[in-house]
Amino acid sequence: MGVYLVSLGAEEWFGEEEDEWGEVASALNAELGRRGLPPYEDVPLETDFVAGSGQAFEEKLTPSMTGFDALCQTHLSHEESETLCGWSVLVPFSLDEEICLPVDSGYCESTVVVGAPQVLPLAEKLAAAIELPRDTPETCDNLDLSTWFRHQARDLATTRTGLWSQDLDAAFYVALFLRAAQHSIRRGCPVVLT
């Protein structure tokens, strides 16, 4: 068990089964319409799993967030921190402000939706601040970031020191939110906390 960030295909996003997200999708489209925005309907279909293809996103939130929270406090305003990591649904289009939907997201009584184009520059700002290495995996379809930070990053940190290597848990979360936003925009799909 645990908490994951995962991408969704159209079937699960619009699905009406218990573990699917159709109620959130409907509530979001209703709120977008109320704001004079088009509905979010162009969600790609889920593809067959191919390791390293970048067609899916799945990461587990296991490390401590203490160092990451401190990093956010140092480099971001409170509002920016909330935009970066205070959401339960990330969508691939711009939103002027977060959308709070009165739909249970599994962890809260409401679902907070933010736009990946608003999250991306904040994650990029943190990545630049800690000099996140270019070796950090770009695709995260099967816990690739988790595995990399558990193994390769520890080895790399002994030879390529820097701010990123001083707190690998904080660096993991910087990479996690960076890659989640990039994936959502690239694939045009939602990424959800589940």
Side-chain angles (χ1 to χ4, degrees):
M1 295 299 292
V3 180
Y4 289 82
L5 281 186
V6 297
S7 59
L8 299 180
E11 302 91 335
E12 201 170 353
W13 178 247
F14 295 113
E16 296 298 333
E17 298 296 319
E18 184 178 338
D19 291 337
E20 295 177 323
W21 290 78
E23 187 177 359
V24 171
S26 294
L28 175 60
N29 282 343
E31 181 59 24
L32 291 172
R34 193 183 72 70
R35 295 176 183 211
L37 298 170
Y40 176 40
E41 296 177 337
D42 193 20
V43 180
L45 297 174
E46 189 170 326
T47 61
D48 291 334
F49 177 76
V50 177
S53 69
Q55 299 300 302
F57 188 97
E58 179 184 0
E59 287 295 339
K60 187 173 185 179
L61 284 67
T62 52
S64 167
M65 292 189 85
T66 303
F68 177 70
D69 290 341
L71 187 67
C72 289
Q73 288 176 9
T74 301
H75 296 280
L76 303 175
S77 70
H78 176 73
E79 293 76 20
E80 288 173 328
S81 293
E82 284 297 311
T83 298
L84 176 64
C85 51
W87 48 267
S88 42
V89 175
L90 186 65
V91 292
F93 51 88
S94 287
L95 292 171
D96 290 341
E97 60 184 0
E98 71 179 30
I99 295 176
C100 189
L101 303 172
V103 179
D104 189 329
S105 66
Y107 294 97
C108 302
E109 292 180 2
S110 60
T111 298
V112 177
V113 182
V114 300
Q118 283 67 50
V119 168
L120 183 58
L122 301 173
E124 289 173 335
K125 182 177 181 178
L126 292 183
I130 65 167
E131 300 171 346
L132 188 70
R134 281 182 260 163
D135 311 60
T136 306
E138 292 188 18
T139 60
C140 309
D141 49 24
N142 189 23
L143 306 177
D144 294 332
L145 276 179
S146 300
T147 301
W148 189 82
F149 272 95
R150 240 186 345 262
H151 302 293
Q152 293 93 326
R154 295 196 187 284
D155 294 338
L156 186 63
T158 62
T159 58
R160 195 179 316 155
T161 58
L163 290 176
W164 76 276
S165 65
Q166 294 173 12
D167 186 339
L168 292 179
D169 288 350
F172 166 78
Y173 284 106
V174 171
L176 177 74
F177 289 108
L178 176 67
R179 299 306 186 216
Q182 290 171 334
H183 181 84
S184 179
I185 292 167
R186 183 178 67 249
R187 286 278 293 143
C189 68
V191 173
V192 301
L193 187 69
T194 185

